[in-house]
Amino acid sequence: MDERFVLVGARTPQPPPPKELPWHRGKPVLAMAGLLVIVTGCLCCELFIPRDPAYMDLVHAMEAPGPDFWFGADTMGRDIFSMIWHGGRASLLIGFFATAISTALAVLFGTVSGLSPRWLDELLMRLTEIFLSIPSLLLIVLLQAILGKPDVLSLSVVIGVTGWTSVARVVRSEVRRLRSSEYVLAAQCMGAGFFHVLRRHLAPNFFSSIMFMVVMNVRSAIASESTLSFMGLGLPLEVISWGSMLSLAEKALLSGAWWIILIPGAFLVVTLLCLTSVGNWLRGGGDQRGSNL
């Protein structure tokens, strides 16, 4: 052997490169696809629904599912297939609009509480706990009675202003953790205003923490609208939504027309399950984004 070369030791084998996981691994693909189909179908329902959802054909009242009425007809002869896709617009609009209102209130209230002195922070949190102690459904009914006859806008506002407390507590905790960060202190020393600090430095860091609760608020808002309509306190029958369709449950059960309640209820349950699955995935950190930390 050539003395210029010394064998020090055996070369350790290089580990194989890590295998790339499939893009769908760990993601609720089925729930996302189902939610996409439902939302797209509701938005574009004019392209494929066979009848006017509000047309009352009393000759075919309570007709069972068949070639003419794919999902059957209700007690007023309206086509349930057309009503489901058209009525989903109102339910989804209430869900998303109410969630937008509750999220905006929660972010503002939680940020103010998190940046406030200790005495003001405790006072605001005590007010939040008092608000949480009131049953949300009772508060919704009370506020809706004050506003008068329910419609899509009023129900969205009422559900939105009663569903912000849980998110506000999480936002407050995150803001109190972030407010001593160097970039937040530097922005405040440079004269940055409240909304600038919130938009540029605080919100990007706590939004991933509340995303799960935001998605769950959409689910809760849709369920609240359906519950109120089922109790006869929500949208009137002339305003087609999944909840107003379920308000006919009593007549459906007495007459044996199972399709009047079962099919709209199935669409509602599938939508809520899809939202729950997506929310659980977000809670597990499935959509982590970069932060300023």
Side-chain angles (χ1 to χ4, degrees), residues 45 68 100 104 129 154 177 182 197-198 200 205 239 246 286 290 293:
C45 62
D68 295 331
E129 292 174 0
S154 65
R177 180 179 63 86
E182 294 180 356
V197 174
L198 172 61
R200 296 294 300 273
N205 289 291
V239 179
L246 291 176
L293 290 176

Side-chain angles (χ1 to χ4, degrees), residues 243-256:
S244 64
M245 295 175 69
L246 291 176
S247 64
L248 300 172
E250 181 181 357
K251 296 180 180 179
L253 294 175
L254 292 177
S255 60

Side-chain angles (χ1 to χ4, degrees), residues 83-98:
M83 292 175 66
I84 283 178
W85 294 108
H86 186 273
R89 290 181 173 182
S91 297
L92 294 174
L93 178 60
I94 291 175
F96 287 109
F97 189 37

Side-chain angles (χ1 to χ4, degrees), residues 214-292:
V214 170
V215 175
M216 291 297 99
N217 276 356
V218 176
R219 185 198 66 173
S220 299
I222 296 175
S224 297
E225 181 272 327
S226 302
T227 302
L228 290 173
S229 298
F230 180 79
M231 297 169 58
L233 302 174
L235 296 175
L237 289 177
E238 60 267 18
V239 179
I240 301 175
S241 71
W242 290 338
S244 64
M245 295 175 69
L246 291 176
S247 64
L248 300 172
E250 181 181 357
K251 296 180 180 179
L253 294 175
L254 292 177
S255 60
W258 52 267
W259 55 89
I260 296 179
I261 182 174
L262 182 61
I263 297 179
F267 267 79
L268 177 62
V269 169
V270 168
T271 303
L272 298 183
L273 288 177
C274 290
L275 288 170
T276 303
S277 181
V278 173
N280 288 332
W281 172 65
L282 292 174
R283 180 175 59 179
D287 192 23
Q288 294 292 338
R289 300 179 183 272
S291 67
N292 292 331

Side-chain angles (χ1 to χ4, degrees), residues 2-201:
D2 193 343
E3 296 180 354
R4 292 176 299 175
F5 300 96
V6 179
L7 184 61
V8 176
R11 178 179 299 178
T12 58
Q14 297 293 329
K19 295 182 179 180
E20 294 185 1
L21 296 176
W23 64 270
H24 57 81
R25 178 67 63 85
K27 297 180 180 179
V29 179
L30 187 60
M32 291 180 177
L35 197 59
L36 179 62
V37 169
I38 292 174
V39 173
T40 305
C42 292
L43 294 178
C44 306
C45 62
E46 284 89 355
L47 300 177
F48 60 87
I49 56 176
R51 293 178 175 81
D52 181 3
Y55 178 71
M56 300 181 186
D57 188 0
L58 298 179
V59 177
H60 299 282
M62 292 192 296
E63 183 168 333
D68 295 331
F69 294 86
W70 297 342
F71 288 173
D74 66 354
T75 56
M76 292 177 281
R78 298 178 296 182
D79 182 29
I80 293 180
F81 178 82
S82 302
M83 292 175 66
I84 283 178
W85 294 108
H86 186 273
R89 290 181 173 182
S91 297
L92 294 174
L93 178 60
I94 291 175
F96 287 109
F97 189 37
T99 301
I101 295 174
S102 62
T103 303
L105 291 176
V107 168
L108 289 176
F109 191 92
T111 304
V112 170
S113 180
L115 295 177
S116 299
R118 186 177 183 84
W119 66 270
L120 182 57
D121 176 44
E122 292 183 355
L123 176 62
L124 294 176
M125 284 298 100
R126 297 297 84 75
L127 292 176
T128 305
E129 292 174 0
I130 293 173
F131 203 81
L132 276 171
S133 65
I134 304 174
S136 59
L137 188 61
L138 179 61
L139 193 57
I140 291 173
V141 172
L142 176 62
L143 293 177
Q144 186 59 63
I146 296 174
L147 293 179
K149 186 178 180 180
D151 55 22
V152 173
L153 180 60
S154 65
L155 268 181
S156 301
V157 173
V158 168
I159 295 174
V161 299
T162 57
W164 56 270
T165 49
S166 299
V167 181
R169 291 167 65 90
V170 177
V171 172
R172 176 254 183 189
S173 300
E174 292 294 319
V175 170
R176 289 190 67 83
R177 180 179 63 86
L178 296 170
R179 68 177 185 176
S180 299
S181 302
E182 294 180 356
Y183 57 89
V184 175
L185 296 176
Q188 292 174 340
C189 292
M190 294 174 65
F194 171 80
F195 288 101
H196 177 82
V197 174
L198 172 61
R199 184 181 71 254
R200 296 294 300 273
H201 303 292

